[in-house]
Amino acid sequence: MRHVTGMTVELNGEQVQLATGAQIRDTSNRIILPGMLPPEALVKFKLDLQGQVHRIWILTPEEAAQPDPEK
């Protein structure tokens, strides 16, 4: 993920809007602004009902290396 401009981020090469009130959490679980996203950050995210990005968690290298849990 990377910040493009304003409330727009890029996920896997596609530009998407952040939802109103979206939260981005860094690797220390602190809330950060979209412009503070590290370039090409590895993240987990949740979409809202309108398909906008609602929550973002920046992953540590250890978290990124773990497989996704089975659903």
Side-chain angles (χ1 to χ4, degrees):
M1 173 180 279
R2 72 176 187 88
H3 179 248
V4 177
T5 184
M7 294 293 283
T8 305
V9 294
E10 186 175 290
L11 283 171
N12 300 325
E14 182 179 338
Q15 290 188 9
V16 294
Q17 292 294 310
L18 295 176
T20 302
Q23 288 187 3
I24 303 170
R25 299 269 177 174
D26 68 8
T27 56
S28 297
N29 205 32
R30 298 174 293 208
I31 295 176
I32 63 169
L33 299 173
M36 297 173 63
L37 267 170
E40 306 303 322
L42 295 175
V43 300
K44 294 278 186 178
F45 62 93
K46 279 190 167 182
L47 302 178
D48 66 8
L49 296 175
Q50 288 76 39
Q52 295 180 325
V53 180
H54 181 61
R55 295 283 184 263
I56 302 167
W57 296 270
I58 299 173
L59 302 177
T60 64
E62 294 80 20
E63 291 169 332
Q66 293 179 2
D68 285 336
E70 295 293 324
K71 291 185 178 186

